[in-house]
Amino acid sequence: MSNILGELMGAIASGGVRIVDLTQTLDTDTPIIPLPEEWAGTKPFTLEEISRYDDRGPAWYWNNFACGEHTGTHFDAPVHWVTGKDYENNTTDTIEPERFIGPAFVIDVAGKVAEDSDFLLTPEYVQEWEKEHARIEADSWVLVRTDWGLRKGDDYLNLSEDGAHSPGFHPDCVPFLAQERDIKGVGVETVGTDAGQAFGFEPAFPCHTLMHGANKFGLASLTNLDKLPPTGSVVIAAPLKIIGGSGSPLRVLALVPGA
Ligand code: 23J
Ligand code: MN
């Protein structure tokens, strides 16, 4: 094994590099995105036992599962949005695998979100964060820590009569991250990468519209972002190789420098 990979394996074995799982468990009550009724909705996750060491299969246990591509902790490919539909290699089966791995820049807005469920990350806020930490690198994952992943039950979607109330990106922040910083994509703890009220923004769903319009990715329903340092970790987020896939549930892993 080459030195660099041998050193990495040694560091993982010794705790010098820790693996943090940024994935929520897929369960039958995993929240799915609520869309206004005029639009088709996604299937929730379901699990159906095929056999469990019984007369249906004496020595083996297995299940069928079903869900939408955008269920639970999942990946958004550029083809998911109409603005990203004409890029080459824009589907889960054609994105080059090197693109799934990159350094993570973790912006903590949990305090702001505790005061205001509709908090929107602005380019000014990101630039203040950069002054304190580091400039966001090209081809990086920008992860927004909101502690939303700690919410349980109805508090997660946080639905009111006027729609969901959950944090997201200000429309001006997305071109800043996509063009000025040329990131790989964004990752959030909420059910989707756009704020709960983003159906009414200009443009509607600005993160989907402008991130995928710039051939970038999204990661939704992440958790454990509170376990990551602001800079210095590496995130691996490789979706299932669904033919023509617009996204998929996936396991998202962070490699974090240990003590
Ligand atoms: C379809 C329509 C609107 C949205 C979404 C999907 C998602 O958030 C998603 O999971 O990509 S906002
Ligand atoms: Mn999605």
Side-chain angles (χ1 to χ4, degrees):
M1 196 178 288
S2 79
N3 264 351
I4 191 163
L5 293 179
E7 277 172 36
L8 176 61
M9 292 303 105
I12 291 172
S14 71
V17 170
R18 289 180 305 114
I19 309 294
V20 177
D21 190 351
L22 306 185
T23 318
Q24 296 270 15
T25 302
L26 272 173
D27 198 347
T28 52
D29 62 5
T30 291
I32 52 172
I33 187 135
L35 291 181
E37 340 186 332
E38 67 249 48
W39 295 317
T42 184
K43 269 191 192 173
F45 179 78
T46 57
L47 204 54
E48 175 200 27
E49 193 173 273
I50 306 170
S51 70
R52 192 159 192 155
Y53 332 119
D54 53 23
D55 54 7
R56 299 171 299 173
W60 49 93
Y61 165 57
W62 53 345
N63 299 305
N64 289 316
F65 71 84
C67 65
E69 292 174 327
H70 298 258
T71 302
T73 300
H74 72 271
F75 182 96
D76 289 350
V79 75
H80 178 42
W81 223 253
V82 64
T83 48
K85 73 179 175 52
D86 294 326
Y87 286 110
E88 269 178 40
N89 303 329
N90 61 357
T91 55
T92 51
D93 55 325
T94 57
I95 296 166
E96 300 81 356
E98 309 75 56
R99 297 180 66 199
F100 297 139
I101 178 166
F105 290 76
V106 184
I107 302 177
D108 181 2
V109 298
K112 294 284 183 188
V113 170
E115 288 167 16
D116 177 11
S117 300
D118 295 307
F119 175 80
L120 300 180
L121 185 63
T122 61
E124 294 75 25
Y125 195 101
V126 176
Q127 283 169 296
E128 283 302 313
W129 182 93
E130 286 184 313
K131 280 186 202 154
E132 201 178 321
H133 298 283
R135 188 181 159 98
I136 293 167
E137 288 168 30
D139 251 316
S140 62
W141 289 109
V142 169
L143 308 181
V144 186
R145 174 185 168 191
T146 55
D147 287 352
W148 207 262
L150 302 172
R151 288 184 167 231
K152 301 277 172 243
D154 291 346
D155 289 344
Y156 187 74
L157 292 177
N158 204 28
L159 285 171
S160 292
E161 259 144 56
D162 62 349
H165 290 271
S166 56
F169 297 89
H170 189 280
D172 295 341
C173 198
V174 189
F176 173 76
L177 293 172
Q179 269 87 41
E180 313 268 323
R181 293 295 179 268
D182 196 20
I183 64 169
K184 182 181 292 300
V186 293
V188 301
E189 295 181 50
T190 45
V191 71
T193 56
D194 267 297
Q197 291 288 301
F199 59 86
F201 292 1
E202 182 47 50
F205 305 115
C207 191
H208 285 84
T209 302
L210 304 170
M211 267 297 146
H212 303 320
N215 202 19
K216 311 296 189 189
F217 309 143
L219 298 171
S221 300
L222 297 174
T223 190
N224 287 332
L225 297 185
D226 57 315
K227 314 270 190 324
L228 301 185
T231 63
S233 63
V234 165
V235 164
I236 304 169
L240 297 180
K241 205 165 182 175
I242 298 170
I243 187 162
S246 77
S248 95
L250 81 174
R251 197 77 181 245
V252 182
L253 301 180
L255 279 64
V256 181

